[in-house]
Amino acid sequence: GAVVSQHPSWVICKSGTSVKIECRSLDFQATTMFWYRQFPKQSLMLMATSNEGSKATYEQGVEKDKFLINHASLTLSTLTVTSAHPEDSSFYICSARDWGLHSNTGELFFGEGSRLTVL
Amino acid sequence: AQSVSQHNHHVILSEAASLELGCNYSYGGTVNLFWYVQYPGQHLQLLLKYFSGDPLVKGIKGFEAEFIKSKFSFNLRKPSVQWSDTAEYFCAVIPGFFKAAGNKLTFGGGTRVLVKP
């Protein structure tokens, strides 16, 4: 099936620093990607919708200045956690919709996730 | 706002037992329904999906789900589980017409299933 890849899969950083997570659709183009956050033992919560060539759409309660999203190409979206704090520690997952190569119904494919730990 | 509820947070059962996981949603209009599975240390994978047609949907690995519109439910079933079915299962919903690119999945809280060998 389609492959969505995230990098890094695991990152530890100091409080106050910024961390960038990449999400790539490896063999299809994705005009829309979605960023989710998963707290331990909880479900995935949508953070924002990343739109190629335009601003991301953030869900209520998500700080857009804290979680910067850039969708610069049809295969890459990045999430930057700025001035990270321990409460930002979480599992971040991206997904992308494939409208043609692997699914004619726009199925969502998920990345492996990126675990962020802020010390 | 729409919501998705999964009734059980944890399920423990023995191999060969039957499994049924409940999922209810609150949206009243047309919906698209999904079950995803997350095996330990792995990313989310689609088990099955319902868009329209036969309300009994067959998925991968012997799973099936039944859409009951009157009950706003989409329960997942497997007649005989294996140890390898140990995972976390998520029900998810997209309201309306799926091909609207802005639509986004709303996930249930997840159910952790442990199958004892």
Side-chain angles (χ1 to χ4, degrees):
Chain A
V3 179
V4 174
S5 178
Q6 283 182 240
H7 177 81
S9 56
W10 185 56
V11 57
I12 300 174
C13 70
K14 292 183 180 179
S15 186
T17 61
S18 295
V19 174
K20 181 186 285 187
I21 301 170
E22 294 184 345
C23 177
R24 294 181 184 273
S25 56
L26 296 186
D27 55 0
F28 65 96
Q29 294 181 335
T31 56
T32 306
M33 292 186 177
F34 302 89
W35 286 96
Y36 292 85
R37 183 173 179 177
Q38 186 178 26
F39 290 100
K41 299 183 180 181
Q42 294 188 33
S43 186
L44 287 80
M45 300 297 295
L46 181 65
M47 298 174 64
T49 302
S50 174
N51 304 299
E52 189 269 336
S54 65
K55 292 182 179 180
T57 306
Y58 289 81
E59 295 301 300
Q60 192 173 11
V62 178
E63 300 176 61
K64 60 180 67 176
D65 295 330
K66 174 76 170 176
F67 299 100
L68 299 179
I69 290 172
N70 185 292
H71 196 147
S73 77
L74 287 169
T75 59
L76 173 64
S77 175
T78 59
L79 168 68
T80 301
V81 183
T82 63
S83 187
H85 291 283
E87 57 265 29
D88 299 324
S89 298
S90 190
F91 195 54
Y92 294 88
I93 302 173
C94 74
S95 67
R97 305 185 74 171
D98 177 11
W99 287 108
L101 185 61
H102 300 280
S103 167
N104 60 2
T105 55
E107 182 173 329
L108 274 169
F109 293 91
F110 288 83
E112 311 95 320
S114 299
R115 185 167 301 284
L116 171 63
T117 300
V118 184
L119 302 176
Chain B
Q2 67 168 7
S3 65
V4 182
S5 301
Q6 292 183 237
H7 313 303
N8 307 98
H9 295 294
H10 293 90
V11 172
I12 302 174
L13 60 167
S14 300
E15 277 193 312
S18 64
L19 173 70
E20 180 160 1
L21 303 180
C23 173
N24 286 89
Y25 59 93
S26 63
Y27 188 74
T30 300
V31 291
N32 305 275
L33 301 156
F34 306 81
W35 274 98
Y36 285 87
V37 60
Q38 189 172 29
Y39 296 104
Q42 297 187 27
H43 60 92
L44 281 170
Q45 301 174 41
L46 181 66
L47 269 181
L48 48 78
K49 59 190 176 188
Y50 172 81
F51 291 159
S52 63
D54 189 344
L56 185 61
V57 180
K58 302 286 187 182
I60 60 172
K61 305 187 181 188
F63 286 91
E64 65 178 29
E66 184 175 14
F67 170 50
I68 303 180
K69 189 174 181 179
S70 61
K71 295 185 178 180
F72 299 89
S73 70
F74 190 56
N75 292 354
L76 180 71
R77 297 194 291 253
K78 184 169 183 177
S80 176
V81 295
Q82 301 172 312
W83 175 79
S84 57
D85 293 321
T86 293
E88 187 158 17
Y89 294 80
F90 294 96
C91 179
V93 175
I94 292 181
F97 184 49
F98 183 58
K99 289 203 170 185
N103 284 353
K104 11 174 221 233
L105 282 173
T106 297
F107 284 87
T111 300
R112 288 179 179 262
V113 174
L114 173 63
V115 180
K116 298 185 293 183

